[in-house]
């Protein structure tokens, strides 16, 4: 690993090595907790089509990493050191309109998922989701689609169908 300030770049991606049968998609992980970044890296390391190209723990470092690493997707938390994920998503969407963004957060999806999609995210998944569900969400976003949980999707559809009035799931 080569560190630059607090964002980290993967040696394999620097060298352009490819071990998979399918084209590797380059993933930037933005989270202020090292253990979360390490866990996400572990989840993806056995996947032929995914490689972590870098990590960042602040919004500022994320912006630098995007510019220097040119990832295929960014995974970002809402809560970050020195900034917040909502502003990061808005800023990234404004400057990199084609970069898919998956928000991975501990914050309640019924409150934040729609906000993050409105800010420019392509998907929202809770940190307590199973790793298989995380991979489904990541690939869906990489394929140009939207990902939210079934419950959030149903609430959004009900809201739309009722003319925009919030419909409680209770």
């Amino acid at each position: 690993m080569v560190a630059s300030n607090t964002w980290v770049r993967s040696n394999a991606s620097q060298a352009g090595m490819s071990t998979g049968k399918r084209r590797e998609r380059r993933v930037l992980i933005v989270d202020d907790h090292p253990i979360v970044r390490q866990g996400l890296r572990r989840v993806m390391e056995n996947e032929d089509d995914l490689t972590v190209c870098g990590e960042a723990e602040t919004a500022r470092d994320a912006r630098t990493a995007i510019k220097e690493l040119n990832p295929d997707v960014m995974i970002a938390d809402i809560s970050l050191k020195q900034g917040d994920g909502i502003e990061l998503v808005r800023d990234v969407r404004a400057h990199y309109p084609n970069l898919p963004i998956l928000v991975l957060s501990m914050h309640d999806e019924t409150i934040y998922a729609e906000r993050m999609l409105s800010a420019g995210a392509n998907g929202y998944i809770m940190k307590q989701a199973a790793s298989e569900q995380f991979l489904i969400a990541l690939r869906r976003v990489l394929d140009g689609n939207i990902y939210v949980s079934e419950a959030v999707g149903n609430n959004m559809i009900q809201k739309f169908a009722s003319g925009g009035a919030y419909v409680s799931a209770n």
Side-chain angles (χ1 to χ4, degrees):
M1 303 296 257
V2 178
S4 172
N5 294 334
T6 54
W7 66 268
V8 180
R9 180 188 329 215
S10 167
N11 286 335
S13 63
Q14 282 178 354
M17 291 186 231
S18 177
T19 57
K21 297 171 187 98
R22 295 179 278 177
R23 179 175 94 76
E24 284 188 343
R25 310 298 280 283
R26 298 166 39 81
V27 180
L28 173 64
I29 303 169
V30 183
D31 195 292
D32 60 342
H33 295 98
I35 197 163
V36 171
R37 295 192 309 268
Q38 292 166 8
L40 291 173
R41 184 180 286 274
R42 284 258 166 97
V43 167
M44 289 182 270
E45 71 187 6
N46 293 323
E47 302 298 314
D48 291 342
D49 60 329
L50 302 170
T51 185
V52 176
C53 67
E55 301 174 5
E57 64 179 17
T58 68
R60 181 182 201 181
D61 292 335
R63 290 178 189 95
T64 301
I66 291 168
K67 187 187 303 185
E68 294 186 12
L69 299 176
N70 192 29
D72 293 311
V73 65
M74 177 178 77
I75 300 168
D77 192 2
I78 292 175
S79 302
L80 299 171
K81 292 180 181 175
Q82 303 169 11
D84 86 35
I86 296 171
E87 287 305 314
L88 174 62
V89 167
R90 281 188 187 117
D91 185 54
V92 169
R93 181 57 58 231
H95 291 92
Y96 302 92
N98 297 320
L99 179 63
I101 302 168
L102 176 63
V103 175
L104 175 70
S105 183
M106 67 173 195
H107 295 289
D108 186 345
E109 66 184 349
T110 61
I111 297 170
Y112 286 95
E114 194 172 343
R115 265 188 223 175
M116 294 306 296
L117 292 175
S118 294
N122 302 88
Y124 192 98
I125 188 166
M126 298 286 295
K127 284 185 176 177
Q128 57 262 44
S131 57
E132 295 80 17
Q133 195 62 40
F134 163 75
L135 290 170
I136 289 167
L138 181 59
R139 287 187 177 107
R140 189 167 299 165
V141 166
L142 274 163
D143 289 342
N145 298 308
I146 301 295
Y147 179 88
V148 293
S149 71
E150 185 176 344
V152 169
N154 286 338
N155 280 342
M156 292 173 78
I157 291 168
Q158 287 176 353
K159 182 178 174 180
F160 176 77
S162 66
Y166 179 73
V167 176
S168 174
N170 297 329

